[in-house]
Amino acid sequence: MRRKVAILGATGTVGQRFIEILKGHPWFEVSVLAASERSAGKRYSDACTWRLESEMPEEIGEMTVVETSLKAIEKAEDIDLAFSALPGSIAGPVEEEIAEEYPVVSKASAHRMDEDVPLLIPEVNPEQLGLIEVQRERRGWRGFISTDPNCSTIQLAITLKPLMEFGLKKVIVSTMQALSGAGYPGVPSLDIIDNVIPYIRKEEEKIQFESLKILGTFDGSRVKPADIMISASCNRVNVRDGHLEAVFVELEAKPTPEEVEDAFRNFVGEPQRLKLPTAPEKPIIVKDEPDRPQPRYDRNEGGGMSVVVGRVRRDPALTIKYLCLGHNTVRGAAGAGVLSAELMVAKGIL
Ligand code: NAP
């Protein structure tokens, strides 16, 4: 039997991706759509301006949107899990309320750095699922909260994980981030046409703090942050989907670019070993062409779930430099949430 899921923030950019990815999913069935008071009570097709290239699933369009509260969700359906794509500013208390009864897999930033909440990338740190036990004991909830990292952090951390074997010491990253990362309608067109905006609120801090928790060591009760120095500089560019990042790393072992490429190519994690439905065959794809990856051509690799790396070369200042690209609303958002939930099913947590 498929597990019944609610999508919180179902009308938004990430909420729509959840609906697209969950269409025909073997393990999950969309049973509740929740959004703000503005949308509650309306048919989904009336409440939502569908912005994806795929068609809105007909049966989803017919569903009635409910308010985002435990009471409204319980009244609508007895769910097994809620995916949260709520704005970070409102997600905190709402997710806590819902987690008293149901598991919440969240894309919002509100609880990412809580000591007892996993900050999960299934290929990178599946052991952080152990925090769910700690959290339940501490908070006395029947459900729990598990979070996925910020979109630009997920793709970076996936590429940093295989570099840990070379003794990763320092990371400098400069991002070129897509417009869909700001939600809808996001950045006004007159601000971004013919332009680059060298500032994304709180993004640099998220990359710098979240990466250390993601790559940290879980000792059974808490995560000790990784001992790495990370510096980020974030830019919004005139691209629809797909964040591109220029990454510079200092590695103790001084590997050659070819050895680093091999480490990227050979990297697999639990989702690949368990053959989870949304897992890409290769978490990292390495391009040989000198002018790739590019957002327009490479963002849909692995169904949008692979991180595409290119231009791996020696760096005269640190050790190695490369470019990485990830689809921000798939690997960076809804796809990440679905993969996390699939891992929880495979591990018997859901
Ligand atoms: P969005 O397009 O602005 O959508 C926001 C959603 O939240 C809409 O469904 C909206 O419903 C709902 N909402 C707004 N205020 C609410 C309230 N007071 N109570 C209940 N629901 C409310 O934003 P998004 O880009 O999808 O982002 C959603 C979350 O994912 C954010 O936390 C964001 O940081 C995170 N995220 C986004 C990306 C990305 O690439 N876009 C990547 C990673 C993480 P109405 O339609 O009714 O207003």
Side-chain angles (χ1 to χ4, degrees), residues 185-212:
V187 187
S189 57
L190 286 179
D191 286 348
I192 196 69
I193 290 170
D194 187 32
N195 209 6
V196 171
I197 299 172
Y199 173 68
I200 302 175
R201 204 172 80 83
K202 291 194 184 162
E203 195 76 1
E204 294 171 359
E205 294 83 349
K206 286 178 186 168
I207 293 177
Q208 290 168 184
F209 289 124
E210 291 181 16
S211 301
L212 302 185

mmCIF file of all heavy atoms in Angstrom, residues 185-212:
data_model
loop_
_atom_site.group_PDB
_atom_site.id
_atom_site.type_symbol
_atom_site.label_atom_id
_atom_site.label_comp_id
_atom_site.label_asym_id
_atom_site.label_seq_id
_atom_site.Cartn_x
_atom_site.Cartn_y
_atom_site.Cartn_z
ATOM 1 N N PRO A 185 6.819 35.024 -7.654
ATOM 2 C CA PRO A 185 7.460 35.459 -8.882
ATOM 3 C C PRO A 185 8.930 35.798 -8.722
ATOM 4 O O PRO A 185 9.609 36.075 -9.699
ATOM 5 C CB PRO A 185 6.662 36.714 -9.252
ATOM 6 C CG PRO A 185 6.192 37.253 -7.957
ATOM 7 C CD PRO A 185 5.960 36.070 -7.067
ATOM 8 N N GLY A 186 9.437 35.741 -7.501
ATOM 9 C CA GLY A 186 10.882 35.872 -7.304
ATOM 10 C C GLY A 186 11.444 37.239 -7.641
ATOM 11 O O GLY A 186 10.856 38.275 -7.316
ATOM 12 N N VAL A 187 12.586 37.258 -8.332
ATOM 13 C CA VAL A 187 13.302 38.507 -8.620
ATOM 14 C C VAL A 187 12.578 39.255 -9.747
ATOM 15 O O VAL A 187 12.294 38.669 -10.787
ATOM 16 C CB VAL A 187 14.744 38.182 -9.092
ATOM 17 C CG1 VAL A 187 15.563 39.452 -9.227
ATOM 18 C CG2 VAL A 187 15.420 37.202 -8.148
ATOM 19 N N PRO A 188 12.259 40.550 -9.566
ATOM 20 C CA PRO A 188 11.590 41.291 -10.655
ATOM 21 C C PRO A 188 12.415 41.258 -11.942
ATOM 22 O O PRO A 188 13.645 41.372 -11.902
ATOM 23 C CB PRO A 188 11.507 42.722 -10.104
ATOM 24 C CG PRO A 188 11.629 42.583 -8.629
ATOM 25 C CD PRO A 188 12.494 41.378 -8.390
ATOM 26 N N SER A 189 11.744 41.106 -13.094
ATOM 27 C CA SER A 189 12.472 40.982 -14.367
ATOM 28 C C SER A 189 13.353 42.202 -14.629
ATOM 29 O O SER A 189 14.464 42.073 -15.143
ATOM 30 C CB SER A 189 11.486 40.748 -15.518
ATOM 31 O OG SER A 189 10.565 41.797 -15.562
ATOM 32 N N LEU A 190 12.889 43.395 -14.260
ATOM 33 C CA LEU A 190 13.692 44.589 -14.545
ATOM 34 C C LEU A 190 14.961 44.666 -13.689
ATOM 35 O O LEU A 190 15.876 45.418 -13.988
ATOM 36 C CB LEU A 190 12.851 45.853 -14.356
ATOM 37 C CG LEU A 190 11.829 46.111 -15.474
ATOM 38 C CD1 LEU A 190 11.029 47.372 -15.180
ATOM 39 C CD2 LEU A 190 12.512 46.252 -16.828
ATOM 40 N N ASP A 191 15.009 43.871 -12.628
ATOM 41 C CA ASP A 191 16.236 43.829 -11.823
ATOM 42 C C ASP A 191 17.265 42.856 -12.398
ATOM 43 O O ASP A 191 18.458 42.997 -12.151
ATOM 44 C CB ASP A 191 15.921 43.386 -10.385
ATOM 45 C CG ASP A 191 15.236 44.484 -9.588
ATOM 46 O OD1 ASP A 191 15.220 45.626 -10.075
ATOM 47 O OD2 ASP A 191 14.720 44.187 -8.499
ATOM 48 N N ILE A 192 16.804 41.835 -13.123
ATOM 49 C CA ILE A 192 17.736 40.754 -13.470
ATOM 50 C C ILE A 192 18.073 40.694 -14.960
ATOM 51 O O ILE A 192 19.110 40.140 -15.342
ATOM 52 C CB ILE A 192 17.208 39.382 -12.947
ATOM 53 C CG1 ILE A 192 18.324 38.318 -12.943
ATOM 54 C CG2 ILE A 192 16.002 38.897 -13.719
ATOM 55 C CD1 ILE A 192 19.404 38.522 -11.961
ATOM 56 N N ILE A 193 17.226 41.256 -15.841
ATOM 57 C CA ILE A 193 17.572 41.252 -17.261
ATOM 58 C C ILE A 193 18.822 42.118 -17.457
ATOM 59 O O ILE A 193 18.922 43.204 -16.880
ATOM 60 C CB ILE A 193 16.399 41.792 -18.114
ATOM 61 C CG1 ILE A 193 15.246 40.777 -18.088
ATOM 62 C CG2 ILE A 193 16.828 42.054 -19.555
ATOM 63 C CD1 ILE A 193 13.972 41.302 -18.696
ATOM 64 N N ASP A 194 19.781 41.596 -18.245
ATOM 65 C CA ASP A 194 21.019 42.324 -18.495
ATOM 66 C C ASP A 194 21.796 42.583 -17.204
ATOM 67 O O ASP A 194 22.403 43.631 -17.026
ATOM 68 C CB ASP A 194 20.673 43.668 -19.207
ATOM 69 C CG ASP A 194 21.917 44.416 -19.655
ATOM 70 O OD1 ASP A 194 22.914 43.754 -20.001
ATOM 71 O OD2 ASP A 194 21.897 45.663 -19.656
ATOM 72 N N ASN A 195 21.739 41.600 -16.270
ATOM 73 C CA ASN A 195 22.328 41.905 -14.962
ATOM 74 C C ASN A 195 22.723 40.647 -14.189
ATOM 75 O O ASN A 195 22.283 39.541 -14.521
ATOM 76 C CB ASN A 195 21.314 42.701 -14.136
ATOM 77 C CG ASN A 195 21.979 43.631 -13.149
ATOM 78 O OD1 ASN A 195 23.209 43.762 -13.158
ATOM 79 N ND2 ASN A 195 21.210 44.265 -12.305
ATOM 80 N N VAL A 196 23.570 40.840 -13.186
ATOM 81 C CA VAL A 196 23.884 39.815 -12.186
ATOM 82 C C VAL A 196 23.743 40.513 -10.841
ATOM 83 O O VAL A 196 24.211 41.644 -10.678
ATOM 84 C CB VAL A 196 25.336 39.296 -12.346
ATOM 85 C CG1 VAL A 196 25.734 38.410 -11.177
ATOM 86 C CG2 VAL A 196 25.510 38.550 -13.663
ATOM 87 N N ILE A 197 23.087 39.843 -9.882
ATOM 88 C CA ILE A 197 22.915 40.470 -8.567
ATOM 89 C C ILE A 197 23.838 39.747 -7.572
ATOM 90 O O ILE A 197 23.632 38.564 -7.285
ATOM 91 C CB ILE A 197 21.443 40.398 -8.116
ATOM 92 C CG1 ILE A 197 20.578 41.154 -9.130
ATOM 93 C CG2 ILE A 197 21.282 40.976 -6.711
ATOM 94 C CD1 ILE A 197 19.091 41.020 -8.920
ATOM 95 N N PRO A 198 24.852 40.438 -7.068
ATOM 96 C CA PRO A 198 25.867 39.754 -6.263
ATOM 97 C C PRO A 198 25.478 39.608 -4.797
ATOM 98 O O PRO A 198 26.304 39.782 -3.895
ATOM 99 C CB PRO A 198 27.090 40.664 -6.426
ATOM 100 C CG PRO A 198 26.501 42.026 -6.556
ATOM 101 C CD PRO A 198 25.175 41.875 -7.249
ATOM 102 N N TYR A 199 24.204 39.303 -4.542
ATOM 103 C CA TYR A 199 23.749 39.162 -3.151
ATOM 104 C C TYR A 199 22.493 38.309 -3.110
ATOM 105 O O TYR A 199 21.544 38.558 -3.860
ATOM 106 C CB TYR A 199 23.440 40.544 -2.555
ATOM 107 C CG TYR A 199 22.802 40.489 -1.183
ATOM 108 C CD1 TYR A 199 23.532 40.045 -0.078
ATOM 109 C CD2 TYR A 199 21.477 40.867 -0.986
ATOM 110 C CE1 TYR A 199 22.954 39.982 1.176
ATOM 111 C CE2 TYR A 199 20.890 40.822 0.278
ATOM 112 C CZ TYR A 199 21.628 40.373 1.354
ATOM 113 O OH TYR A 199 21.064 40.304 2.599
ATOM 114 N N ILE A 200 22.490 37.267 -2.265
ATOM 115 C CA ILE A 200 21.284 36.473 -2.009
ATOM 116 C C ILE A 200 21.187 36.365 -0.489
ATOM 117 O O ILE A 200 22.089 35.804 0.154
ATOM 118 C CB ILE A 200 21.355 35.079 -2.660
ATOM 119 C CG1 ILE A 200 21.573 35.222 -4.181
ATOM 120 C CG2 ILE A 200 20.089 34.280 -2.371
ATOM 121 C CD1 ILE A 200 21.769 33.909 -4.916
ATOM 122 N N ARG A 201 20.116 36.899 0.050
ATOM 123 C CA ARG A 201 20.000 37.030 1.505
ATOM 124 C C ARG A 201 20.210 35.687 2.221
ATOM 125 O O ARG A 201 19.571 34.696 1.881
ATOM 126 C CB ARG A 201 18.615 37.603 1.851
ATOM 127 C CG ARG A 201 18.554 38.313 3.192
ATOM 128 C CD ARG A 201 17.214 38.997 3.347
ATOM 129 N NE ARG A 201 16.186 38.061 3.755
ATOM 130 C CZ ARG A 201 15.960 37.686 5.010
ATOM 131 N NH1 ARG A 201 16.674 38.199 5.990
ATOM 132 N NH2 ARG A 201 15.023 36.819 5.291
ATOM 133 N N LYS A 202 21.083 35.672 3.173
ATOM 134 C CA LYS A 202 21.383 34.526 4.068
ATOM 135 C C LYS A 202 21.983 33.309 3.364
ATOM 136 O O LYS A 202 22.203 32.274 3.984
ATOM 137 C CB LYS A 202 20.123 34.090 4.825
ATOM 138 C CG LYS A 202 19.652 35.088 5.859
ATOM 139 C CD LYS A 202 18.644 34.437 6.773
ATOM 140 C CE LYS A 202 18.082 35.423 7.763
ATOM 141 N NZ LYS A 202 16.840 34.959 8.358
ATOM 142 N N GLU A 203 22.215 33.385 2.026
ATOM 143 C CA GLU A 203 22.664 32.207 1.287
ATOM 144 C C GLU A 203 24.102 31.816 1.672
ATOM 145 O O GLU A 203 24.410 30.636 1.834
ATOM 146 C CB GLU A 203 22.566 32.501 -0.216
ATOM 147 C CG GLU A 203 22.653 31.281 -1.089
ATOM 148 C CD GLU A 203 21.378 30.440 -1.110
ATOM 149 O OE1 GLU A 203 20.393 30.820 -0.439
ATOM 150 O OE2 GLU A 203 21.372 29.409 -1.784
ATOM 151 N N GLU A 204 24.976 32.813 1.789
ATOM 152 C CA GLU A 204 26.379 32.498 2.082
ATOM 153 C C GLU A 204 26.501 31.843 3.454
ATOM 154 O O GLU A 204 27.223 30.854 3.626
ATOM 155 C CB GLU A 204 27.225 33.776 1.987
ATOM 156 C CG GLU A 204 27.257 34.273 0.553
ATOM 157 C CD GLU A 204 27.890 35.655 0.363
ATOM 158 O OE1 GLU A 204 28.317 36.278 1.364
ATOM 159 O OE2 GLU A 204 27.938 36.107 -0.802
ATOM 160 N N GLU A 205 25.737 32.367 4.419
ATOM 161 C CA GLU A 205 25.769 31.793 5.771
ATOM 162 C C GLU A 205 25.278 30.348 5.733
ATOM 163 O O GLU A 205 25.822 29.471 6.402
ATOM 164 C CB GLU A 205 24.867 32.598 6.729
ATOM 165 C CG GLU A 205 25.338 34.016 6.997
ATOM 166 C CD GLU A 205 24.930 35.026 5.921
ATOM 167 O OE1 GLU A 205 24.441 34.605 4.843
ATOM 168 O OE2 GLU A 205 25.099 36.229 6.147
ATOM 169 N N LYS A 206 24.210 30.091 4.946
ATOM 170 C CA LYS A 206 23.666 28.729 4.888
ATOM 171 C C LYS A 206 24.717 27.766 4.351
ATOM 172 O O LYS A 206 24.937 26.686 4.911
ATOM 173 C CB LYS A 206 22.417 28.689 3.999
ATOM 174 C CG LYS A 206 21.191 29.306 4.663
ATOM 175 C CD LYS A 206 20.000 29.283 3.711
ATOM 176 C CE LYS A 206 18.824 30.039 4.316
ATOM 177 N NZ LYS A 206 17.761 30.293 3.332
ATOM 178 N N ILE A 207 25.382 28.138 3.260
ATOM 179 C CA ILE A 207 26.411 27.249 2.700
ATOM 180 C C ILE A 207 27.505 27.006 3.734
ATOM 181 O O ILE A 207 27.934 25.871 3.957
ATOM 182 C CB ILE A 207 27.015 27.858 1.413
ATOM 183 C CG1 ILE A 207 25.966 27.902 0.302
ATOM 184 C CG2 ILE A 207 28.245 27.061 0.959
ATOM 185 C CD1 ILE A 207 26.437 28.548 -0.995
ATOM 186 N N GLN A 208 27.937 28.062 4.393
ATOM 187 C CA GLN A 208 29.073 27.943 5.320
ATOM 188 C C GLN A 208 28.730 27.112 6.561
ATOM 189 O O GLN A 208 29.534 26.306 6.996
ATOM 190 C CB GLN A 208 29.575 29.338 5.700
ATOM 191 C CG GLN A 208 30.258 30.008 4.517
ATOM 192 C CD GLN A 208 30.549 31.496 4.669
ATOM 193 O OE1 GLN A 208 31.019 32.114 3.743
ATOM 194 N NE2 GLN A 208 30.255 32.074 5.807
ATOM 195 N N PHE A 209 27.524 27.298 7.120
ATOM 196 C CA PHE A 209 27.172 26.562 8.348
ATOM 197 C C PHE A 209 26.650 25.159 8.037
ATOM 198 O O PHE A 209 27.018 24.192 8.679
ATOM 199 C CB PHE A 209 26.128 27.324 9.163
ATOM 200 C CG PHE A 209 26.672 28.567 9.804
ATOM 201 C CD1 PHE A 209 26.088 29.801 9.575
ATOM 202 C CD2 PHE A 209 27.784 28.507 10.647
ATOM 203 C CE1 PHE A 209 26.595 30.949 10.165
ATOM 204 C CE2 PHE A 209 28.301 29.648 11.240
ATOM 205 C CZ PHE A 209 27.698 30.875 10.991
ATOM 206 N N GLU A 210 25.741 25.076 7.047
ATOM 207 C CA GLU A 210 25.096 23.777 6.801
ATOM 208 C C GLU A 210 26.114 22.726 6.344
ATOM 209 O O GLU A 210 26.043 21.567 6.744
ATOM 210 C CB GLU A 210 23.987 23.918 5.753
ATOM 211 C CG GLU A 210 22.786 24.710 6.268
ATOM 212 C CD GLU A 210 21.668 24.838 5.245
ATOM 213 O OE1 GLU A 210 21.650 24.083 4.251
ATOM 214 O OE2 GLU A 210 20.808 25.721 5.433
ATOM 215 N N SER A 211 27.075 23.125 5.506
ATOM 216 C CA SER A 211 28.040 22.146 4.990
ATOM 217 C C SER A 211 28.787 21.453 6.125
ATOM 218 O O SER A 211 29.080 20.260 6.051
ATOM 219 C CB SER A 211 29.071 22.827 4.084
ATOM 220 O OG SER A 211 28.416 23.453 3.018
ATOM 221 N N LEU A 212 29.090 22.202 7.188
ATOM 222 C CA LEU A 212 29.858 21.621 8.299
ATOM 223 C C LEU A 212 29.028 20.586 9.058
ATOM 224 O O LEU A 212 29.547 19.560 9.502
ATOM 225 C CB LEU A 212 30.339 22.721 9.248
ATOM 226 C CG LEU A 212 31.201 23.810 8.599
ATOM 227 C CD1 LEU A 212 31.724 24.770 9.660
ATOM 228 C CD2 LEU A 212 32.365 23.200 7.827
#
